[in-house]
Amino acid sequence: MSKINNLLRRYAEFILRYRLAVLLAILTVTLLLGSRISNLKIDMDPDIWSPQENPYVITTRVVEQVFGGRNVTVIGIVPKTGDIYQPAILAKIQRIQDGIETMPDAIRHNILSLAARKVKHIKGTRDGMEVRAMMDTIPQTPQEIARLKAAVADSPMYLNTLVTPDGKATAIIADFNLPKDDPRYTPLYENIRKIVDPERDAQVDIYMGGGPPALAWFEFHMAKMPLFFGVALLIIMAIQYWSFRSLQGMLLPIFTALLSVIWGLGLMGLLDVHMDGMNTTTPILIMAVAAGHAIQILKRYYEEYHRLSAQANAGSPASVSRAAIIESLAQIGPVMVTAGLIAVITFYSLSTAEISVVRHFGIFAGSGILGALILELTLIPVLRSYLRAPKTHEAENERRVGMLDRLLGRLADLLASGRAIWLLGIGIIFIAVTFAGVTMLHADNSLKRYNSKNSEIRLDDDALNARFAGTASMIFLVEGKEQDSLKDPKVLQGMATLQEFLEKQPYVGKTQSLADLVKRMNRAMHNDDAAYDVIPDKRDLLAQYLFLYSISGDPQDFDNVVDNDYQKAVIWVYLKDDSTAYAEALYQRALPIIQKNFPPSVNVRLGGQVPNVVAVNDSLTRGKFENMAQMALVVFALSTLVLRSFVGGLFVVTPLLLIILANFGLMGWLGVPLDMGTAMTAAMAIGIGADYELYLLFRFREELARTGDVGAATRNSLLTSGKAIVFVALSVAGGYAVLLASDFGFYIRLAVMVITTMLVSAVSALVFLRAMMMLFKPRFVFGKNRELWSNPVPVIEGANK
């Protein structure tokens, strides 16, 4: 290690000699990357989140290309008095229908309401079949309103979707495409509001729900992140001041941290990577980690400054400060580079993940930490050299023994006095108890439940689900092998049977398909006899119905349920709950029905809004374990290489794995599901937790070689690197703690898990790893003659008196 120390010593002398050039270089890079931040965009484009090879996602793409259905929005109109059959209320429906049809992103054949031209009343006559628009014009007279009421009651396909059975509420169901050049939901939601809001008055309550409003609210919360970042900055500054008890000690790490964030954001802008729900919180992570790393090097600077000042021929404060800068970088540089690069490589390993948001998180976090590492090895020494040397009271304040020092000192006494086995036992019991919670862990995701119960989006969603079929949706795609495959009565009977099964399930409010229209035609052609509310057995008769419909109806009326070739059709399923766990379970229950009732020549698969989120959550949660294994392998390999010991690699990675397992167990006990908000905490635990382990291992080995005393090495390493680890963990936890003030469940869950993970990781490094090392005395730390080491009474070093 002495060669590396000497190399870093020469490096420190070099950057101090050319410190102005170093500052100019850093300023240039910062300006270049900072200028790219304006390229960043916030969006929730489903293609960013979705694993493109997932069967649900593939089906959703096919469905979207032919039918739409990814961005279904429900707009409910509820009169405050009376029913919907009032000219003024019906006029509102017409205006909203017309307004949405003019939106460039609207999928016109999926805009349904009583005023939609394709919403028809099918009636049998002596001459055949009569198909008329449900509401050609706004009815004014009692007779016209009575005819509309009768037509709606005679069309069960639209009950609970467009009109409640009691006529007390009506809905407009719309569907949209996202523009490829600006795939955000906020502009779409605002454009819908421009059409809907003018219709709000004392006569009605109007509610909005579905995927686009929920995702737009997600983006609203994302837009608040600068405010949370500012508060997190203040919290981390307070932790820094507590750490150093000086303005210099507080401002240097914070300045470095802010530049690290700028570099990370600038790199994202340079690579044209959009900000998504997962990456909006990453600046807090980068800022906290960068500030934490800066603590390590500045703590070492104060140590070296005190040591060098105590020498007889110390020289002027300025010369001592310069020497302390060089020596602190030489001593802590190797572990800083090692730990930093392991964290960077570990996060970069996520760039192979299936989902782009995970890849972006890995690249963003890794780049930010790499930027922090570069700045800590250049900017902090240079800026420190421009600042005056610490005054006597400043140095004394930084070294003052506080409550944290006493706690760490007590821990050192326990570890060095033979109590390590008890501490290790307590840690194992804690892990075992929390790990038991893994059996209760479940994967689930619900966009609407990320919002608080009293939020506008939740209140609207509850009101709509209480009255209508549901604001969430899933779609079964039915595909034949050739043209007119779906005119086979067996296929339509299979669709009807599947719909009957689905509508008996909880949270399924309604299903719609071509089968409903055919059953209605068959009944209408038999004097509205309920016995004929079935699919006709004969293909010729079915074809005749479709022909008769086309005479008085519009061939485009079926565009939302079947394609022009009758080769692809969809079953729309409206759900009152957008839980991904429920949707997945519902599909699994439906599979036997599908296999039994559809001909072998027909393929039935699932897609749509909720299944697309199922695919995301499945990939994130399944990928979480894969990413965890991948990152753990990277940490193990790099730690083994750096420590030149297989056992050393195990010592670093084993506590991390146990922490993560305990973390999963804790989630199970608390009922916190694996979802998009908690998916990346394991990556943080490994990427940052490895830092904790390495800093302590290197410092303990250094102190053991210097003092030759296990007790002194334990105490000194805990009171230096161990103390810095506490401040790093508090910085990360404190930074994310601001998200607890959010009313957005996505951020709250993420904050809880990050805080828990950071604190458990720090305790594990300080206690669990220390106890393991004291019990097993690994050769990579204690050397070949490890059995000669004893655990003498701890010694308090002068720096900590």
Side-chain angles (χ1 to χ4, degrees), residues 658-677:
L658 293 176
I659 290 167
I660 293 167
L661 291 175
N663 191 38
F664 287 156
L666 191 60
M667 289 171 63
W669 283 114
L670 297 176
V672 177
L674 281 171
D675 62 8
M676 293 186 290

Side-chain angles (χ1 to χ4, degrees), residues 147-185:
R147 280 197 296 269
L148 176 60
K149 278 187 178 181
V152 171
D154 198 35
S155 304
M157 181 175 181
Y158 301 120
L159 293 179
N160 287 325
T161 51
L162 301 184
V163 182
T164 57
D166 60 5
K168 297 291 186 180
T170 185
I172 299 98
I173 298 176
D175 191 14
F176 303 90
N177 290 315
L178 285 181
K180 297 299 182 184
D181 59 334
D182 187 17
R184 292 181 298 144
Y185 284 92

Side-chain angles (χ1 to χ4, degrees), residues 79-292:
K80 293 184 179 179
T81 58
D83 58 23
I84 67 166
Y85 299 106
Q86 307 172 50
I89 305 297
L90 297 172
K92 290 178 182 292
I93 301 171
Q94 183 71 67
R95 287 193 294 268
I96 294 174
Q97 173 78 31
D98 293 343
I100 292 177
E101 285 184 357
T102 63
M103 292 177 61
D105 302 322
I107 302 175
R108 287 170 178 78
H109 64 256
N110 282 349
I111 305 172
L112 303 176
S113 73
L114 290 182
R117 287 180 290 275
K118 68 183 303 172
V119 174
K120 302 290 178 62
H121 175 223
I122 303 172
K123 182 179 180 181
T125 66
R126 287 184 301 175
D127 298 325
M129 184 185 301
E130 181 183 82
V131 181
R132 297 181 57 184
M134 191 71 71
M135 192 173 76
D136 274 329
T137 59
I138 300 171
Q140 301 293 329
T141 67
Q143 293 79 10
E144 291 173 338
I145 289 176
R147 280 197 296 269
L148 176 60
K149 278 187 178 181
V152 171
D154 198 35
S155 304
M157 181 175 181
Y158 301 120
L159 293 179
N160 287 325
T161 51
L162 301 184
V163 182
T164 57
D166 60 5
K168 297 291 186 180
T170 185
I172 299 98
I173 298 176
D175 191 14
F176 303 90
N177 290 315
L178 285 181
K180 297 299 182 184
D181 59 334
D182 187 17
R184 292 181 298 144
Y185 284 92
T186 302
L188 172 61
Y189 180 66
E190 291 174 346
N191 288 334
I192 299 173
R193 291 288 298 260
K194 289 177 183 177
I195 296 168
V196 172
D197 286 350
E199 304 299 334
R200 300 179 189 271
D201 56 29
Q203 285 185 290
V204 297
D205 290 317
I206 300 182
Y207 307 101
M208 289 180 60
L215 290 166
W217 275 77
F218 202 132
E219 291 177 356
F220 291 160
H221 290 291
M222 290 164 59
K224 297 178 183 178
M225 192 49 60
L227 174 62
F228 289 119
F229 180 84
V231 178
L233 173 64
L234 295 177
I235 291 175
I236 294 173
M237 288 176 67
I239 293 171
Q240 302 292 318
Y241 188 81
W242 175 36
S243 173
F244 292 101
R245 298 184 179 94
S246 74
L247 288 176
Q248 284 189 16
M250 176 185 72
L251 294 177
L252 270 179
I254 288 298
F255 185 61
T256 305
L258 290 175
L259 288 187
S260 301
V261 173
I262 291 173
W263 284 25
L265 289 172
L267 183 62
M268 287 190 72
L270 184 66
L271 298 175
D272 196 28
V273 175
H274 291 189
M275 293 292 287
D276 51 64
M278 188 171 292
N279 277 322
T280 50
T281 64
T282 309
I284 296 178
L285 173 68
I286 293 173
M287 178 173 65
V289 172

Side-chain angles (χ1 to χ4, degrees), residues 153 200 206 222 238 279 296 364 442 482 593 631 662 677 746 751:
R200 300 179 189 271
I206 300 182
M222 290 164 59
N279 277 322
Q296 295 279 3
F364 189 12
H442 65 287
E482 56 189 22
I593 307 297
M631 295 176 76
F746 180 90

Side-chain angles (χ1 to χ4, degrees), residues 237-484:
M237 288 176 67
I239 293 171
Q240 302 292 318
Y241 188 81
W242 175 36
S243 173
F244 292 101
R245 298 184 179 94
S246 74
L247 288 176
Q248 284 189 16
M250 176 185 72
L251 294 177
L252 270 179
I254 288 298
F255 185 61
T256 305
L258 290 175
L259 288 187
S260 301
V261 173
I262 291 173
W263 284 25
L265 289 172
L267 183 62
M268 287 190 72
L270 184 66
L271 298 175
D272 196 28
V273 175
H274 291 189
M275 293 292 287
D276 51 64
M278 188 171 292
N279 277 322
T280 50
T281 64
T282 309
I284 296 178
L285 173 68
I286 293 173
M287 178 173 65
V289 172
H293 274 277
I295 288 177
Q296 295 279 3
I297 191 170
L298 285 174
K299 281 287 185 185
R300 190 59 183 251
Y301 163 78
Y302 278 102
E303 286 181 51
E304 296 299 334
Y305 182 81
H306 171 74
R307 182 179 63 83
L308 294 172
S309 297
Q311 294 179 0
N313 55 346
S316 67
S319 63
V320 173
S321 178
R322 182 184 178 88
I325 293 169
I326 295 171
E327 195 60 26
S328 61
L329 191 58
Q331 294 300 325
I332 203 169
V335 64
M336 178 175 284
V337 172
T338 300
L341 288 179
I342 286 179
V344 169
I345 294 171
T346 301
F347 278 115
Y348 275 163
S349 70
L350 294 177
S351 62
T352 62
E354 183 180 18
I355 300 182
S356 59
V357 291
V358 179
R359 296 196 297 270
H360 295 166
F361 169 77
I363 293 171
F364 189 12
S367 299
I369 294 173
L370 178 61
L373 180 62
I374 294 171
L375 290 168
E376 285 151 6
L377 292 172
T378 54
L379 183 63
I380 285 185
V382 167
L383 289 180
R384 180 66 262 183
S385 71
Y386 276 111
L387 297 173
R388 59 166 174 76
K391 294 182 179 179
T392 303
H393 74 276
E394 188 178 321
E396 289 177 352
N397 283 341
E398 196 278 330
R399 296 178 60 252
R400 187 187 306 155
V401 175
M403 181 179 66
L404 179 58
D405 301 88
R406 289 189 288 272
L407 288 174
L408 292 173
R410 177 58 180 159
L411 174 61
D413 293 342
L414 291 173
L415 288 167
S417 61
R419 306 288 179 84
I421 191 169
W422 293 102
L423 294 175
L424 186 61
I426 293 170
I428 291 173
I429 292 172
F430 170 77
I431 291 171
V433 171
T434 54
F435 183 66
V438 172
T439 58
M440 295 177 278
L441 188 64
H442 65 287
D444 194 10
N445 198 81
S446 169
L447 286 175
K448 69 179 181 182
R449 281 198 286 272
Y450 282 144
N451 297 280
S452 66
K453 291 183 178 180
N454 295 323
S455 64
E456 178 184 331
I457 186 68
R458 282 289 293 275
L459 293 174
D460 277 18
D461 191 83
D462 290 343
L464 290 169
N465 282 311
R467 293 173 172 87
F468 297 102
T471 57
S473 62
M474 55 194 289
I475 299 172
F476 285 88
L477 175 63
V478 182
E479 295 176 291
K481 292 184 178 179
E482 56 189 22
Q483 187 173 346
D484 291 336

